């Protein structure tokens, strides 16, 4: 697979036949990690859609210049956009969920603080969100997506429900009467809320249902929080997305 490099919102400077100097971090990755050479092919994308087929015109350890060959208006987004509302969990598992959610087509990831969430100090929260955004970019480079999903800052779960939930939103609850699969065949949700270890507290489930959200389960087994997020996105993709 041709290496893919995210270059940020640089549409104005990317045109067929033109040269483009990679940002320092991307240049180091291409030259030192990938060990690419002049003439090698690579693909650039800005995160706003489409991609640029390119070749390396010059490379040394700190400087890489690429020549843009053409622009391809190709998209690899899911046919059903969905927002993952993920309660905070252990650091490494949260990183895992962000990465896999991007691969599975989530259009945005909202980190929420639920009653049973892992704690995170306020001074670390901003750094964690910035870290998750970099994971989302790397996942797009790997999986071929040309639009980088939004990774929103941490908010309280009840506050998110109050502002965004509607009759189409679902939240995972092992005690729910209906399954995500059955519910999605009737009305595919635009957002899926996943609880932390131990799930959402009963009062959180009640609060969400009072705001018209729908409680659903993923089957007879109790899944870990990170497994539930991936299983939910994969289920939805299989029913109404591009995995059909």
């Amino acid at each position: 697979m041709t290496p893919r490099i995210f270059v940020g919102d640089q549409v104005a400077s990317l045109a067929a036949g033109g040269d483009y100097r990679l940002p320092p971090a991307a240049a180091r990755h291409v030259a030192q990690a990938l060990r690419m050479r002049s003439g090698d092919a690579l693909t650039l994308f800005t995160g706003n859609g489409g991609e640029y087929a390119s070749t390396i015109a010059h490379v040394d350890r700190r400087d890489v210049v690429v020549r843009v060959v053409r622009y391809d208006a190709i998209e690899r987004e899911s046919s059903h956009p969905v927002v993952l509302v993920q309660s905070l969990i252990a650091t490494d598992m949260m990183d895992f969920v962000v990465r896999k959610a991007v691969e599975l087509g989530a259009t945005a990831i909202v980190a929420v603080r639920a009653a049973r969430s892992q704690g995170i100090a306020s001074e670390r929260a901003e750094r964690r969100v910035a870290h998750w955004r970099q994971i989302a970019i790397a996942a797009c480079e790997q999986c071929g997506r040309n639009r980088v999903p939004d990774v929103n800052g941490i908010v309280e779960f009840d506050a998110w429900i109050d502002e965004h939930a509607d009759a189409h939103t679902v939240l995972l609850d092992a005690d729910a009467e209906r399954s995500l699969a059955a519910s999605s065949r009737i009305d595919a949700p635009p957002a899926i809320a996943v609880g932390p270890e131990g799930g959402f507290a009963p009062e959180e489930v009640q609060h969400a249902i009072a705001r018209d959200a729908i409680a659903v389960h993923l089957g007879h087994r109790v899944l870990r929080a990170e497994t539930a997020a991936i299983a939910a996105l994969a289920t939805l993709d299989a029913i109404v997305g591009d995995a059909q």
Side-chain angles (χ1 to χ4, degrees):
M1 180 179 176
T2 302
R4 291 168 41 81
I5 304 296
F6 174 75
V7 296
D9 190 3
Q10 298 287 339
V11 176
S13 62
L14 296 177
D19 289 347
Y20 174 74
R21 178 168 274 103
L22 292 184
R28 288 193 298 273
H29 179 65
V30 167
Q32 299 178 31
L34 299 180
R35 298 182 180 276
M36 299 184 74
R37 298 291 181 259
S38 295
D40 288 350
L42 74 168
T43 300
L44 308 181
F45 69 105
T46 66
N48 294 322
E51 60 190 28
Y52 298 81
S54 310
T55 59
I56 295 179
H58 164 79
V59 58
D60 59 36
R61 288 182 58 83
R62 298 180 181 277
D63 186 44
V64 177
V65 177
V66 301
R67 182 152 299 147
V68 178
V69 177
R70 67 180 182 278
Y71 171 73
D72 294 321
I74 188 170
E75 297 292 357
R76 301 183 181 91
E77 298 301 294
S78 175
S79 55
H80 177 74
V82 62
V83 175
L84 175 65
V85 182
Q86 174 64 55
S87 301
L88 291 171
I89 54 178
T91 299
D92 56 342
M93 290 297 98
M94 194 73 182
D95 292 355
F96 174 83
V97 167
V98 171
R99 183 177 299 108
K100 299 308 176 184
V102 173
E103 292 180 32
L104 287 166
T107 55
I109 300 162
V110 182
V112 295
R113 187 181 288 104
R116 296 169 177 165
S117 286
Q118 291 276 336
I120 182 170
S122 57
E123 61 271 15
R124 293 186 59 229
E126 188 173 337
R127 294 198 302 272
R128 295 306 302 167
V129 173
H131 174 66
W132 296 329
R133 287 172 178 156
Q134 289 304 310
I135 289 176
I137 289 170
C140 285
E141 290 179 330
Q142 179 271 318
C143 75
R145 290 182 68 176
N146 287 323
R147 295 185 182 274
V148 178
D150 292 330
V151 180
N152 298 331
I154 300 169
V155 298
E156 299 297 325
F157 175 66
D158 284 347
W160 186 91
I161 287 291
D162 287 340
E163 185 171 353
H164 297 285
D166 58 26
H168 306 285
T169 300
V170 301
L171 77 157
L172 301 187
D173 176 20
D175 296 324
E177 295 182 358
R178 73 183 84 177
S179 70
L180 173 62
S183 179
S184 298
R185 291 188 184 99
I186 298 170
D187 186 13
I192 299 174
V194 181
E197 288 91 347
F200 289 115
E203 58 271 21
E204 291 175 317
V205 175
Q206 294 167 7
H207 179 79
I209 292 174
R211 297 297 189 275
D212 293 328
I214 302 168
V216 297
H217 65 75
L218 287 172
H220 301 298
R221 293 171 298 281
V222 177
L223 305 181
R224 289 176 59 93
E226 68 274 12
T227 308
I230 305 313
L233 290 172
T235 296
L236 188 62
D237 202 28
I239 293 172
V240 296
D242 56 357
Q244 299 179 75

